[in-house]
């Protein structure tokens, strides 16, 4: 059987909210950009204190596969 290598373009979309204590919309936006994120294989995280932030995210992301392309033949064994 001739195997081939395929590149599968995939997006994992986590949807949720960060409730942030801030003086303005722009400050709240900057706090999330600079202090919040997701590490692959880990957790959603924030470097802000618990007094400044709370969040709610679904643990299971939406998965979207958009394109599959053949890259090359699989090396024969």
């Amino acid at each position: 059987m001739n195997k081939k290598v395929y590149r599968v373009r995939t997006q994992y979309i986590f949807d949720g909210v960060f409730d942030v204590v801030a003086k303005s919309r722009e400050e709240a936006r900057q706090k999330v950009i600079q202090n919040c994120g997701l590490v692959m294989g880990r957790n959603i995280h924030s470097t802000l204190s618990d007094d400044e932030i709370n969040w709610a995210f679904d643990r299971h992301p939406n998965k979207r596969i958009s394109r599959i392309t053949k890259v090359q033949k699989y090396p024969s064994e």
Side-chain angles (χ1 to χ4, degrees):
M1 173 190 252
N2 292 333
K3 294 182 181 180
K4 298 172 183 69
V5 176
Y6 292 90
R7 178 170 292 144
V8 180
R9 185 163 307 279
T10 309
Q11 290 180 323
Y12 292 90
I13 303 162
F14 289 86
D15 189 28
V17 297
F18 289 103
D19 293 329
V20 182
V21 175
K23 293 179 184 176
S24 67
R25 293 175 80 156
E26 183 56 29
E27 182 185 14
R29 180 180 177 278
Q30 286 301 318
K31 281 186 173 186
V32 170
I33 288 170
Q34 295 171 1
N35 299 289
C36 303
L38 171 75
V39 177
M40 292 291 290
R42 303 272 182 187
N43 295 324
I44 295 168
H45 71 279
S46 174
T47 57
L48 297 172
S49 71
D50 290 342
D51 294 337
E52 293 182 276
I53 192 164
N54 187 22
W55 65 77
F57 283 84
D58 188 352
R59 292 179 181 228
H60 304 287
N62 293 321
K63 188 184 312 180
R64 187 171 84 186
I65 296 174
S66 60
R67 183 177 19 176
I68 301 173
T69 55
K70 186 169 84 173
V71 178
Q72 64 184 24
K73 287 185 177 179
Y74 189 78
S76 300
E77 297 182 8

